[in-house]
Amino acid sequence: MPSYEELGELLDPASTVLLTVECQQGVVGPDSALPELAREARSSGALRNVARLVAAAHETGVQVIHALAERRPDGRGANRNARLFRAAERLPVQQLTGTTAVRVAPPIEVTEEDFVVRRLHGLSPIQGTEVDALLRNLGCRTLIVTGVSANVAVPNAVFDAVNRGYTAVVPADAIAGVPADYTPAVIRNTLALVATITSTDEVLGYFKRPRRRA
């Protein structure tokens, strides 16, 4: 874990963006297409911690981007080049454009200042989407990555952020994957090599500390 001073250097509100990954009703909601993942996101406290971080970001002026995955009803433009995509086509709940499945899931709140970026293809919330251009235009240097899943989309986001020159910060208790013991393993053996690993409370503590006036 980084020291308080080290974390403070990274989390300047003017150059920090909070990214939520696939925290949508069809993934982590009660009617999820992936009920095991939804249960883990909720029972572990990860979804609640994402909501806490989003609320604090709104209060402190840190920009929030919600990255959602969806598909057209006709499936055009969607990937079929991996087993994951083909399995998703057969799920009883589809992440279809315009449906409740692709709305940000409670208890996360979305404000008018937030960006909501939707993708129709691929595994990453950054590669091939508007996110990178938005981050650069916002002057982002540090990207806080939260959400699901620790199996696929979250590592993709972290790797893509690092490859593009951003510093990735991952609150370990604000991401989830399946099975439950996989998340700490991927954090320890993979994400910790390329990202700054911290906790929700540590990030909130920095967000809420008094700031010096210029």
Side-chain angles (χ1 to χ4, degrees), residues 3 10 20 28 129 132 149-150 161-162 167 170 183-184 188 190 207 214:
S3 70
L10 293 177
T20 76
V28 295
T129 73
D132 184 38
S149 71
V162 171
T167 296
V170 178
T183 300
R188 182 175 61 252
T190 302
F207 278 180

Side-chain angles (χ1 to χ4, degrees), residues 18-91:
L18 173 64
L19 179 70
T20 76
V21 179
E22 296 184 26
C23 292
Q24 56 202 70
Q25 294 198 39
V27 175
V28 295
D31 297 319
S32 169
L34 303 165
E36 184 182 2
L37 177 59
R39 284 193 298 271
E40 179 60 26
R42 291 177 176 275
S43 65
S44 69
L47 188 62
R48 180 176 60 87
N49 285 332
V50 175
R52 293 171 65 206
L53 288 164
V54 168
H58 291 157
E59 292 173 5
T60 56
V62 170
Q63 180 66 56
V64 179
I65 298 178
H66 304 282
L68 307 180
E70 60 183 46
R71 58 185 285 123
R72 289 166 48 118
D74 61 11
R76 293 181 67 190
N79 289 64
R80 298 200 75 256
N81 58 335
R83 193 172 140 203
L84 175 67
F85 302 121
R86 295 191 294 274
E89 291 178 350
R90 299 190 295 271
L91 292 174

Side-chain angles (χ1 to χ4, degrees), residues 1-12 15-16 141-142 144 167-169 195-198 202-203 206-207 209:
M1 293 285 188
S3 70
Y4 189 76
E5 291 74 19
E6 290 169 334
L7 192 62
E9 290 179 5
L10 293 177
L11 299 181
D12 179 354
S15 58
T16 297
R141 292 200 310 257
T142 299
I144 304 172
T167 296
V169 171
T196 296
I197 306 301
T198 182
E202 285 184 326
V203 175
Y206 181 77
F207 278 180
R209 79 174 185 177

Side-chain angles (χ1 to χ4, degrees), residues 101-121:
V102 294
R103 294 178 186 169
V104 175
I108 300 168
E109 295 187 0
V110 182
T111 68
E112 292 183 357
E113 290 75 24
D114 295 355
F115 289 100
V116 178
V117 177
R118 303 175 183 276
R119 77 177 193 275
L120 290 169
H121 60 84

